[in-house]
Amino acid sequence: MAGISDILKRNQLSITDSRKKILDYFLQSDGALAHADIEKMSGDKFDRVTIYRTLQTFVEKGIIHTIPTSDNSVKYALCKDECVAGHHHDDHIHFLCDDCGTTYCLESNVPPVQLPIGFSASRTDVVVSGKCGKCSN
Amino acid sequence: MAGISDILKRNQLSITDSRKKILDYFLQSDGALAHADIEKMSGDKFDRVTIYRTLQTFVEKGIIHTIPTSDNSVKYALCKDECVAGHHHDDHIHFLCDDCGTTYCLESNVPPVQLPIGFSASRTDVVVSGKCGKCSN
DNA sequence: AATGTTTTGCAACCCCGTTGCATTTGGTTA
DNA sequence: TAACCAAATGCAACGGGGTTGCAAAACATT
Ligand SMILES: [Mn+2]
Ligand SMILES: [Mn+2]
Ligand SMILES: [Zn+2]
Ligand SMILES: [Zn+2]
């Protein structure tokens, strides 16, 4: 309990049941969460729409960031401490396990890539698919 | 002339109007195409479902490959010659222009990434967003 | 406790992609 | 060329996922 409300306060968000609960899901999970995951976990505690809006709010505040996956579904994970509202610093790579479906934020930073003359990058997403540590045995 | 029907024959596909037309769109375009793009180009020539099924067939045959984008929409682009049915070899990076929306297949190959112990990669997607050459002036 | 503001739940809606089935088309053979 | 069978198409219907408007409820502040 030491923390959840503080995180919300620090981001100038009013403290509500759904925000506390959803933020807690992220703090307890080691992988990323999709909207559907949260919907399952919470049962019928909140409306679907509330979950959508909460995720959206958390992204805007820099509490979580989105992860594009190769199967075209959006996942969310906790941001590092440096992220603030309107400006994310999540330049790490992501890993999506083909077996268990877990999505991990890895420590490795995105490598530099060579672009053609005249092209400039504003963002680089690296998503690796394969087998995670737990599923390799 | 010398091409479209040959490509279809080579992949053991029967030659139909929609397949010829959709394949032609890809050959004439320099960027990637989304389903919606093709739907607009073709007007009401074919049904939406036919476009979906044609794209799916082309992917299975290794004629086109999918590109995951950060805005969570699927785009398609012609494969290199080495791609065959069931096995793609599109290990190049992709670029998505924030201004004009064009998606390019770049020549640069995906760089090697460092994974934690026990993790193994089956596929790596690198999507760079930013400004393309045409939009940089 | 009373107030004004923010958040929530609900209903309705739209967009995207899929599926089943009858009809049409294309490829093959006689 | 005509007939046949297999494959592709069009149509309708369905479902998941996400958004919006608005009234009711919860929150922060006094
Ligand atoms: Mn991450
Ligand atoms: Mn490509
Ligand atoms: Zn796994
Ligand atoms: Zn551009």
Side-chain angles (χ1 to χ4, degrees):
Chain A
M1 281 294 115
I4 294 189
S5 296
D6 296 331
I7 296 177
L8 294 175
K9 270 184 207 147
R10 186 192 320 151
N11 288 281
Q12 292 137 19
L13 291 175
S14 52
I15 297 168
T16 66
D17 287 348
S18 46
R19 283 174 181 168
K20 280 192 289 186
K21 200 74 192 162
I22 292 176
L23 183 50
D24 196 38
Y25 290 149
F26 280 105
L27 290 168
Q28 285 175 6
S29 165
D30 54 338
L33 298 176
H35 175 276
D37 297 326
I38 297 171
E39 203 172 351
K40 281 184 204 107
M41 293 188 229
S42 60
D44 54 353
K45 249 196 290 287
F46 331 109
D47 193 81
R48 309 182 308 123
V49 182
T50 299
I51 300 176
Y52 280 117
R53 292 197 266 230
T54 302
L55 290 171
Q56 198 170 301
T57 301
F58 285 179
V59 169
E60 286 164 4
K61 291 293 187 180
I63 300 172
I64 59 176
H65 65 276
T66 60
I67 305 173
T69 63
S70 47
D71 69 335
N72 220 42
S73 69
V74 194
K75 300 209 172 184
Y76 303 87
L78 285 175
C79 285
K80 314 290 180 187
D81 295 336
E82 308 89 45
C83 292
V84 290
H87 200 322
H88 285 269
H89 297 274
D90 297 292
D91 38 7
H92 53 272
I93 73 176
H94 292 113
F95 187 91
L96 171 58
C97 181
D98 295 325
D99 277 28
C100 64
T102 307
T103 301
Y104 300 89
C105 297
L106 298 187
E107 297 297 327
S108 317
N109 276 6
V110 303
V113 293
Q114 176 106 7
L115 296 180
I117 309 283
F119 284 58
S120 60
S122 67
R123 159 180 183 161
T124 303
D125 286 298
V126 178
V127 179
V128 182
S129 304
K131 273 197 173 184
C132 80
K134 292 177 187 165
C135 297
S136 286
N137 306 325
Chain B
M1 279 265 69
I4 295 188
S5 295
D6 295 331
I7 295 176
L8 294 175
K9 270 184 208 148
R10 186 192 318 150
N11 288 280
Q12 293 139 18
L13 292 174
S14 51
I15 297 168
T16 67
D17 288 349
S18 46
R19 284 174 181 169
K20 280 192 287 186
K21 200 74 191 163
I22 292 176
L23 183 50
D24 197 37
Y25 290 147
F26 281 105
L27 290 168
Q28 285 175 6
S29 166
D30 53 338
L33 299 176
H35 175 276
D37 298 326
I38 297 171
E39 202 171 352
K40 281 184 203 104
M41 294 188 229
S42 62
D44 55 352
K45 249 196 291 284
F46 331 109
D47 193 81
R48 305 183 309 123
V49 182
T50 300
I51 300 176
Y52 281 116
R53 291 197 266 228
T54 302
L55 290 172
Q56 198 171 304
T57 301
F58 285 178
V59 169
E60 286 165 3
K61 289 296 187 178
I63 299 173
I64 60 178
H65 64 277
T66 61
I67 306 173
T69 63
S70 47
D71 69 334
N72 220 42
S73 69
V74 193
K75 300 207 173 188
Y76 302 86
L78 285 175
C79 284
K80 314 289 181 187
D81 293 337
E82 308 88 46
C83 292
V84 290
H87 200 323
H88 285 268
H89 296 275
D90 298 290
D91 38 6
H92 52 273
I93 73 175
H94 293 112
F95 187 92
L96 171 56
C97 180
D98 295 326
D99 277 28
C100 65
T102 307
T103 301
Y104 300 90
C105 296
L106 299 187
E107 296 298 326
S108 318
N109 275 4
V110 304
V113 294
Q114 177 102 9
L115 296 180
I117 309 283
F119 283 58
S120 59
S122 67
R123 158 180 183 159
T124 302
D125 286 298
V126 178
V127 180
V128 183
S129 304
K131 272 195 174 186
C132 79
K134 292 176 185 166
C135 296
S136 287
N137 305 325

